[in-house]
Structure formats: C-alpha cells, structure tokens
Amino acid sequence: MNLRLIGIGAGVLIILSLPLAGAIAGPDFAGQDDGKGGGLFSTLGLSDSSRTSPSPQPPAPAAEAAASGPERPGQAEQPRTDSRCGPELSSPHGVEAQTCVLVSEGRTWGRSYYRNTSGHALDAVLTLMGPAGRTVQIRCAVGPGDEPGLCETPKDASAGDPESYSAVAEFAVPDDEGDLLLRSGSNSPASG
C-alpha cells in the first residue's frame, strides 16, 4: 500500500511540475510563444542578458493608460500615456471607430482606432482641437478589410489642461459627394 501511495504522489508531483518547467524553459516551450519573451526567469528579472525579446505590440486604447506597470530590474521606465476616449461607435455601413485624445511627456495628440468592413476604401479626417483655437487636422486613407487600423495626428506640445482638448474623426466615401458614414469623437456621449 505504501508503494502505491508513493507512486501516486510521484505522478502528481510530476504533473504539477510541468507548468513550472514550461515557464522556466521560456516562451518557446512545446512550440508555444506567449509573446512575453523570456518565461519565468525573465519575469523574475533573472534572465540571461544574451536573450532577446520580441518587440512589444502596441496596447489597446483602454489598456494604454494603464500600460505603465511595475518595473523589473534592468527595464527602462516607459513614459505614462493618459488617454481620454469616446465610445466605440459603428455605422450600418460597416465602419467602426473609437477616437481618443492622448497625453504623454508634455505632448498631446489625437488618435482614432477604426475597422472598415464596408468593402470600399474610405477617407478619414481626424481633427484635434485644443485651447485658444489651436487645431491640427490630418487625412488618412482607410482601406477596406477586417483588420483594425489607426489614424493619428502629430504629437504637439501641450498647451493648457488636457481636458480642454478634443478629437473628432469623420469617415466618408472618397468621391465628389463625400457621403459621411461615421463621426466619432473623444468626448462623444455614450449612446444609450
């Protein structure tokens, strides 16, 4: 009976240690790449400096403001980016968008995240409006497809309170008539 319990205990111990072995081995263990580059040793700040990690993917709009988490030893501090975004909107024509005002290191800019499933190329005009009549406007070509994209104004030195900025993106058919398909704003009221 004792040998049976020892055998069962050893089996349970092996099964429980497999996830730990995978974490120590890193992201390529068993062909799985978690995109974090380094496994448990990297997480604990114990990784070999000869290892390289893949470049990080840009954060989603809601996660961008909280992107600066706790630092690990040897990691460069990332500047904090605050964002104020309007609601995610969609049109019956197949256009979805969310528009934000972003602020980081004394600079302010506008950004619109979009998806165009209309089947047609569109024009987008993103306008960032600031205090004292300051306005920056950029035009972006929006190709058809299910892949998300973004349109972004240049980053400019902040002037005044971040709450005094707003951004509006307008998506239209690129022809003489320019039918407006969707307007998305950083301070748009949430649809109820």
Side-chain angles (χ1 to χ4, degrees):
M1 185 87 166
N2 285 342
L3 289 176
R4 179 187 259 170
L5 287 176
I6 291 173
I8 291 173
V12 168
L13 192 61
I14 290 171
I15 291 171
L16 293 176
S17 66
L18 286 176
L20 181 60
I24 291 172
D28 292 326
F29 178 73
Q32 300 290 321
D33 184 18
D34 64 1
K36 295 178 184 169
L40 183 62
F41 285 159
S42 175
T43 302
L44 297 175
L46 303 173
S47 66
D48 181 352
S49 61
S50 65
R51 293 182 87 167
T52 58
S53 61
S55 60
Q57 296 296 318
E64 189 157 353
S68 55
E71 280 190 55
R72 287 180 259 169
Q75 180 185 20
E77 182 177 334
Q78 295 292 322
R80 178 181 170 92
T81 301
D82 293 318
S83 64
R84 188 171 36 82
C85 300
E88 295 178 23
L89 300 175
S90 62
S91 78
H93 306 287
V95 182
E96 301 171 5
Q98 182 179 29
T99 302
C100 306
V101 172
L102 297 108
V103 178
S104 179
E105 297 185 309
R107 299 169 71 90
T108 303
W109 66 102
R111 180 183 290 170
S112 185
Y113 300 91
Y114 63 82
R115 184 178 312 228
N116 175 17
T117 60
S118 70
H120 305 288
L122 302 175
D123 279 340
V125 176
L126 176 60
T127 306
L128 175 68
M129 296 158 285
R134 295 170 56 131
T135 302
V136 177
Q137 191 174 67
I138 189 163
R139 181 177 298 267
C140 299
V142 176
D146 196 31
E147 292 299 315
L150 66 90
C151 181
E152 186 172 86
T153 67
K155 298 175 182 178
D156 200 10
S158 299
D161 182 25
E163 295 294 318
S164 61
Y165 283 86
S166 63
V168 174
E170 297 177 315
F171 296 84
V173 177
D175 60 13
D176 292 337
E177 300 184 20
D179 292 333
L180 182 64
L181 302 180
L182 181 67
R183 179 178 289 131
S184 168
S186 62
N187 58 350
S188 300
S191 57

PDB file of all heavy atoms in Angstrom, residues 13-42:
ATOM      1  N   LEU A  13       3.210  14.861  -8.411  1.00  0.00           N
ATOM      2  CA  LEU A  13       4.316  15.812  -8.368  1.00  0.00           C
ATOM      3  C   LEU A  13       4.837  16.123  -9.765  1.00  0.00           C
ATOM      4  O   LEU A  13       5.091  17.292 -10.101  1.00  0.00           O
ATOM      5  CB  LEU A  13       5.439  15.252  -7.487  1.00  0.00           C
ATOM      6  CG  LEU A  13       6.533  16.220  -7.093  1.00  0.00           C
ATOM      7  CD1 LEU A  13       5.939  17.363  -6.285  1.00  0.00           C
ATOM      8  CD2 LEU A  13       7.584  15.508  -6.279  1.00  0.00           C
ATOM      9  N   ILE A  14       4.946  15.118 -10.615  1.00  0.00           N
ATOM     10  CA  ILE A  14       5.403  15.329 -11.997  1.00  0.00           C
ATOM     11  C   ILE A  14       4.399  16.171 -12.758  1.00  0.00           C
ATOM     12  O   ILE A  14       4.760  17.120 -13.450  1.00  0.00           O
ATOM     13  CB  ILE A  14       5.651  13.967 -12.697  1.00  0.00           C
ATOM     14  CG1 ILE A  14       6.883  13.290 -12.086  1.00  0.00           C
ATOM     15  CG2 ILE A  14       5.815  14.153 -14.200  1.00  0.00           C
ATOM     16  CD1 ILE A  14       7.091  11.872 -12.553  1.00  0.00           C
ATOM     17  N   ILE A  15       3.118  15.870 -12.621  1.00  0.00           N
ATOM     18  CA  ILE A  15       2.081  16.616 -13.323  1.00  0.00           C
ATOM     19  C   ILE A  15       2.063  18.078 -12.881  1.00  0.00           C
ATOM     20  O   ILE A  15       1.942  18.988 -13.690  1.00  0.00           O
ATOM     21  CB  ILE A  15       0.695  15.957 -13.119  1.00  0.00           C
ATOM     22  CG1 ILE A  15       0.651  14.622 -13.858  1.00  0.00           C
ATOM     23  CG2 ILE A  15      -0.424  16.879 -13.568  1.00  0.00           C
ATOM     24  CD1 ILE A  15      -0.574  13.788 -13.567  1.00  0.00           C
ATOM     25  N   LEU A  16       2.222  18.304 -11.576  1.00  0.00           N
ATOM     26  CA  LEU A  16       2.206  19.671 -11.069  1.00  0.00           C
ATOM     27  C   LEU A  16       3.454  20.455 -11.448  1.00  0.00           C
ATOM     28  O   LEU A  16       3.428  21.685 -11.517  1.00  0.00           O
ATOM     29  CB  LEU A  16       2.031  19.679  -9.552  1.00  0.00           C
ATOM     30  CG  LEU A  16       0.675  19.185  -9.038  1.00  0.00           C
ATOM     31  CD1 LEU A  16       0.675  19.152  -7.509  1.00  0.00           C
ATOM     32  CD2 LEU A  16      -0.443  20.066  -9.553  1.00  0.00           C
ATOM     33  N   SER A  17       4.558  19.787 -11.710  1.00  0.00           N
ATOM     34  CA  SER A  17       5.792  20.497 -12.047  1.00  0.00           C
ATOM     35  C   SER A  17       5.906  20.835 -13.530  1.00  0.00           C
ATOM     36  O   SER A  17       6.742  21.643 -13.915  1.00  0.00           O
ATOM     37  CB  SER A  17       7.010  19.674 -11.608  1.00  0.00           C
ATOM     38  OG  SER A  17       7.091  18.474 -12.362  1.00  0.00           O
ATOM     39  N   LEU A  18       5.052  20.271 -14.404  1.00  0.00           N
ATOM     40  CA  LEU A  18       5.134  20.563 -15.836  1.00  0.00           C
ATOM     41  C   LEU A  18       4.919  22.042 -16.171  1.00  0.00           C
ATOM     42  O   LEU A  18       5.680  22.602 -16.958  1.00  0.00           O
ATOM     43  CB  LEU A  18       4.169  19.679 -16.625  1.00  0.00           C
ATOM     44  CG  LEU A  18       4.605  18.208 -16.764  1.00  0.00           C
ATOM     45  CD1 LEU A  18       3.526  17.413 -17.482  1.00  0.00           C
ATOM     46  CD2 LEU A  18       5.920  18.095 -17.463  1.00  0.00           C
ATOM     47  N   PRO A  19       3.909  22.720 -15.599  1.00  0.00           N
ATOM     48  CA  PRO A  19       3.777  24.152 -15.920  1.00  0.00           C
ATOM     49  C   PRO A  19       4.991  24.966 -15.481  1.00  0.00           C
ATOM     50  O   PRO A  19       5.404  25.878 -16.167  1.00  0.00           O
ATOM     51  CB  PRO A  19       2.529  24.593 -15.151  1.00  0.00           C
ATOM     52  CG  PRO A  19       1.749  23.334 -14.939  1.00  0.00           C
ATOM     53  CD  PRO A  19       2.778  22.240 -14.814  1.00  0.00           C
ATOM     54  N   LEU A  20       5.585  24.614 -14.341  1.00  0.00           N
ATOM     55  CA  LEU A  20       6.771  25.313 -13.877  1.00  0.00           C
ATOM     56  C   LEU A  20       7.930  25.084 -14.831  1.00  0.00           C
ATOM     57  O   LEU A  20       8.670  26.005 -15.165  1.00  0.00           O
ATOM     58  CB  LEU A  20       7.141  24.862 -12.454  1.00  0.00           C
ATOM     59  CG  LEU A  20       8.371  25.535 -11.839  1.00  0.00           C
ATOM     60  CD1 LEU A  20       8.141  27.042 -11.762  1.00  0.00           C
ATOM     61  CD2 LEU A  20       8.656  24.979 -10.470  1.00  0.00           C
ATOM     62  N   ALA A  21       8.075  23.863 -15.321  1.00  0.00           N
ATOM     63  CA  ALA A  21       9.147  23.560 -16.277  1.00  0.00           C
ATOM     64  C   ALA A  21       8.943  24.357 -17.557  1.00  0.00           C
ATOM     65  O   ALA A  21       9.899  24.866 -18.145  1.00  0.00           O
ATOM     66  CB  ALA A  21       9.186  22.063 -16.576  1.00  0.00           C
ATOM     67  N   GLY A  22       7.702  24.518 -17.992  1.00  0.00           N
ATOM     68  CA  GLY A  22       7.413  25.303 -19.184  1.00  0.00           C
ATOM     69  C   GLY A  22       7.745  26.764 -18.981  1.00  0.00           C
ATOM     70  O   GLY A  22       8.283  27.426 -19.866  1.00  0.00           O
ATOM     71  N   ALA A  23       7.443  27.290 -17.812  1.00  0.00           N
ATOM     72  CA  ALA A  23       7.729  28.694 -17.538  1.00  0.00           C
ATOM     73  C   ALA A  23       9.227  28.942 -17.471  1.00  0.00           C
ATOM     74  O   ALA A  23       9.717  29.963 -17.942  1.00  0.00           O
ATOM     75  CB  ALA A  23       7.065  29.126 -16.239  1.00  0.00           C
ATOM     76  N   ILE A  24       9.977  28.011 -16.901  1.00  0.00           N
ATOM     77  CA  ILE A  24      11.429  28.159 -16.815  1.00  0.00           C
ATOM     78  C   ILE A  24      12.050  28.069 -18.190  1.00  0.00           C
ATOM     79  O   ILE A  24      12.970  28.801 -18.525  1.00  0.00           O
ATOM     80  CB  ILE A  24      12.026  27.108 -15.856  1.00  0.00           C
ATOM     81  CG1 ILE A  24      11.613  27.428 -14.414  1.00  0.00           C
ATOM     82  CG2 ILE A  24      13.544  27.068 -15.979  1.00  0.00           C
ATOM     83  CD1 ILE A  24      11.983  26.359 -13.419  1.00  0.00           C
ATOM     84  N   ALA A  25      11.524  27.188 -19.052  1.00  0.00           N
ATOM     85  CA  ALA A  25      12.088  26.995 -20.380  1.00  0.00           C
ATOM     86  C   ALA A  25      11.868  28.218 -21.258  1.00  0.00           C
ATOM     87  O   ALA A  25      12.617  28.460 -22.184  1.00  0.00           O
ATOM     88  CB  ALA A  25      11.468  25.769 -21.046  1.00  0.00           C
ATOM     89  N   GLY A  26      10.863  29.020 -20.988  1.00  0.00           N
ATOM     90  CA  GLY A  26      10.632  30.220 -21.778  1.00  0.00           C
ATOM     91  C   GLY A  26       9.441  30.066 -22.700  1.00  0.00           C
ATOM     92  O   GLY A  26       8.756  29.064 -22.698  1.00  0.00           O
ATOM     93  N   PRO A  27       9.223  31.079 -23.558  1.00  0.00           N
ATOM     94  CA  PRO A  27       8.016  31.106 -24.369  1.00  0.00           C
ATOM     95  C   PRO A  27       7.981  30.063 -25.473  1.00  0.00           C
ATOM     96  O   PRO A  27       6.934  29.768 -25.992  1.00  0.00           O
ATOM     97  CB  PRO A  27       8.028  32.512 -24.957  1.00  0.00           C
ATOM     98  CG  PRO A  27       9.454  32.916 -24.933  1.00  0.00           C
ATOM     99  CD  PRO A  27      10.033  32.244 -23.731  1.00  0.00           C
ATOM    100  N   ASP A  28       9.127  29.483 -25.861  1.00  0.00           N
ATOM    101  CA  ASP A  28       9.131  28.520 -26.952  1.00  0.00           C
ATOM    102  C   ASP A  28       8.952  27.089 -26.480  1.00  0.00           C
ATOM    103  O   ASP A  28       9.067  26.158 -27.249  1.00  0.00           O
ATOM    104  CB  ASP A  28      10.434  28.634 -27.750  1.00  0.00           C
ATOM    105  CG  ASP A  28      10.495  29.957 -28.493  1.00  0.00           C
ATOM    106  OD1 ASP A  28       9.434  30.426 -28.924  1.00  0.00           O
ATOM    107  OD2 ASP A  28      11.592  30.499 -28.617  1.00  0.00           O
ATOM    108  N   PHE A  29       8.687  26.883 -25.187  1.00  0.00           N
ATOM    109  CA  PHE A  29       8.472  25.548 -24.658  1.00  0.00           C
ATOM    110  C   PHE A  29       7.286  24.915 -25.351  1.00  0.00           C
ATOM    111  O   PHE A  29       6.226  25.502 -25.442  1.00  0.00           O
ATOM    112  CB  PHE A  29       8.239  25.621 -23.142  1.00  0.00           C
ATOM    113  CG  PHE A  29       7.957  24.298 -22.503  1.00  0.00           C
ATOM    114  CD1 PHE A  29       8.966  23.375 -22.345  1.00  0.00           C
ATOM    115  CD2 PHE A  29       6.689  23.974 -22.069  1.00  0.00           C
ATOM    116  CE1 PHE A  29       8.709  22.167 -21.745  1.00  0.00           C
ATOM    117  CE2 PHE A  29       6.429  22.773 -21.476  1.00  0.00           C
ATOM    118  CZ  PHE A  29       7.447  21.850 -21.315  1.00  0.00           C
ATOM    119  N   ALA A  30       7.444  23.739 -25.877  1.00  0.00           N
ATOM    120  CA  ALA A  30       6.406  22.975 -26.565  1.00  0.00           C
ATOM    121  C   ALA A  30       5.801  23.758 -27.723  1.00  0.00           C
ATOM    122  O   ALA A  30       4.642  23.627 -28.036  1.00  0.00           O
ATOM    123  CB  ALA A  30       5.307  22.552 -25.580  1.00  0.00           C
ATOM    124  N   GLY A  31       6.608  24.635 -28.373  1.00  0.00           N
ATOM    125  CA  GLY A  31       6.131  25.352 -29.536  1.00  0.00           C
ATOM    126  C   GLY A  31       5.185  26.495 -29.233  1.00  0.00           C
ATOM    127  O   GLY A  31       4.632  27.108 -30.118  1.00  0.00           O
ATOM    128  N   GLN A  32       4.975  26.819 -27.977  1.00  0.00           N
ATOM    129  CA  GLN A  32       4.055  27.893 -27.603  1.00  0.00           C
ATOM    130  C   GLN A  32       4.853  29.166 -27.405  1.00  0.00           C
ATOM    131  O   GLN A  32       5.816  29.193 -26.662  1.00  0.00           O
ATOM    132  CB  GLN A  32       3.320  27.544 -26.299  1.00  0.00           C
ATOM    133  CG  GLN A  32       2.508  26.281 -26.379  1.00  0.00           C
ATOM    134  CD  GLN A  32       1.303  26.461 -27.279  1.00  0.00           C
ATOM    135  OE1 GLN A  32       0.668  27.495 -27.265  1.00  0.00           O
ATOM    136  NE2 GLN A  32       1.007  25.458 -28.075  1.00  0.00           N
ATOM    137  N   ASP A  33       4.466  30.241 -28.062  1.00  0.00           N
ATOM    138  CA  ASP A  33       5.116  31.531 -27.874  1.00  0.00           C
ATOM    139  C   ASP A  33       4.103  32.487 -27.259  1.00  0.00           C
ATOM    140  O   ASP A  33       3.123  32.845 -27.889  1.00  0.00           O
ATOM    141  CB  ASP A  33       5.608  32.089 -29.213  1.00  0.00           C
ATOM    142  CG  ASP A  33       6.361  33.382 -29.036  1.00  0.00           C
ATOM    143  OD1 ASP A  33       6.789  33.665 -27.901  1.00  0.00           O
ATOM    144  OD2 ASP A  33       6.520  34.110 -30.022  1.00  0.00           O
ATOM    145  N   ASP A  34       4.331  32.859 -26.019  1.00  0.00           N
ATOM    146  CA  ASP A  34       3.375  33.728 -25.340  1.00  0.00           C
ATOM    147  C   ASP A  34       3.625  35.207 -25.627  1.00  0.00           C
ATOM    148  O   ASP A  34       2.914  36.057 -25.124  1.00  0.00           O
ATOM    149  CB  ASP A  34       3.388  33.472 -23.823  1.00  0.00           C
ATOM    150  CG  ASP A  34       4.710  33.816 -23.165  1.00  0.00           C
ATOM    151  OD1 ASP A  34       5.646  34.277 -23.840  1.00  0.00           O
ATOM    152  OD2 ASP A  34       4.808  33.617 -21.950  1.00  0.00           O
ATOM    153  N   GLY A  35       4.665  35.514 -26.423  1.00  0.00           N
ATOM    154  CA  GLY A  35       4.919  36.893 -26.798  1.00  0.00           C
ATOM    155  C   GLY A  35       5.580  37.723 -25.720  1.00  0.00           C
ATOM    156  O   GLY A  35       5.828  38.890 -25.907  1.00  0.00           O
ATOM    157  N   LYS A  36       5.881  37.144 -24.579  1.00  0.00           N
ATOM    158  CA  LYS A  36       6.466  37.909 -23.488  1.00  0.00           C
ATOM    159  C   LYS A  36       7.989  37.829 -23.511  1.00  0.00           C
ATOM    160  O   LYS A  36       8.642  38.631 -22.898  1.00  0.00           O
ATOM    161  CB  LYS A  36       5.933  37.423 -22.140  1.00  0.00           C
ATOM    162  CG  LYS A  36       4.449  37.670 -22.004  1.00  0.00           C
ATOM    163  CD  LYS A  36       3.941  37.145 -20.710  1.00  0.00           C
ATOM    164  CE  LYS A  36       2.432  37.324 -20.634  1.00  0.00           C
ATOM    165  NZ  LYS A  36       1.870  36.617 -19.519  1.00  0.00           N
ATOM    166  N   GLY A  37       8.545  36.840 -24.192  1.00  0.00           N
ATOM    167  CA  GLY A  37       9.981  36.752 -24.384  1.00  0.00           C
ATOM    168  C   GLY A  37      10.774  36.496 -23.127  1.00  0.00           C
ATOM    169  O   GLY A  37      11.431  37.382 -22.638  1.00  0.00           O
ATOM    170  N   GLY A  38      10.757  35.278 -22.597  1.00  0.00           N
ATOM    171  CA  GLY A  38      11.686  35.014 -21.528  1.00  0.00           C
ATOM    172  C   GLY A  38      11.211  34.078 -20.455  1.00  0.00           C
ATOM    173  O   GLY A  38      12.011  33.612 -19.681  1.00  0.00           O
ATOM    174  N   GLY A  39       9.973  33.757 -20.326  1.00  0.00           N
ATOM    175  CA  GLY A  39       9.493  32.807 -19.340  1.00  0.00           C
ATOM    176  C   GLY A  39       9.670  33.293 -17.918  1.00  0.00           C
ATOM    177  O   GLY A  39       9.761  34.486 -17.637  1.00  0.00           O
ATOM    178  N   LEU A  40       9.747  32.350 -17.006  1.00  0.00           N
ATOM    179  CA  LEU A  40       9.802  32.654 -15.582  1.00  0.00           C
ATOM    180  C   LEU A  40      11.059  33.432 -15.207  1.00  0.00           C
ATOM    181  O   LEU A  40      10.994  34.383 -14.444  1.00  0.00           O
ATOM    182  CB  LEU A  40       9.720  31.355 -14.772  1.00  0.00           C
ATOM    183  CG  LEU A  40       9.705  31.507 -13.265  1.00  0.00           C
ATOM    184  CD1 LEU A  40       8.477  32.287 -12.839  1.00  0.00           C
ATOM    185  CD2 LEU A  40       9.706  30.155 -12.593  1.00  0.00           C
ATOM    186  N   PHE A  41      12.226  33.052 -15.753  1.00  0.00           N
ATOM    187  CA  PHE A  41      13.453  33.760 -15.393  1.00  0.00           C
ATOM    188  C   PHE A  41      13.369  35.231 -15.775  1.00  0.00           C
ATOM    189  O   PHE A  41      13.779  36.099 -15.018  1.00  0.00           O
ATOM    190  CB  PHE A  41      14.662  33.122 -16.073  1.00  0.00           C
ATOM    191  CG  PHE A  41      15.083  31.829 -15.444  1.00  0.00           C
ATOM    192  CD1 PHE A  41      15.837  30.910 -16.148  1.00  0.00           C
ATOM    193  CD2 PHE A  41      14.739  31.507 -14.140  1.00  0.00           C
ATOM    194  CE1 PHE A  41      16.230  29.718 -15.575  1.00  0.00           C
ATOM    195  CE2 PHE A  41      15.120  30.325 -13.559  1.00  0.00           C
ATOM    196  CZ  PHE A  41      15.868  29.417 -14.278  1.00  0.00           C
ATOM    197  N   SER A  42      12.814  35.524 -16.945  1.00  0.00           N
ATOM    198  CA  SER A  42      12.667  36.912 -17.365  1.00  0.00           C
ATOM    199  C   SER A  42      11.686  37.647 -16.461  1.00  0.00           C
ATOM    200  O   SER A  42      11.894  38.800 -16.101  1.00  0.00           O
ATOM    201  CB  SER A  42      12.186  36.976 -18.808  1.00  0.00           C
ATOM    202  OG  SER A  42      11.941  38.299 -19.173  1.00  0.00           O
TER     203      SER A  42
END
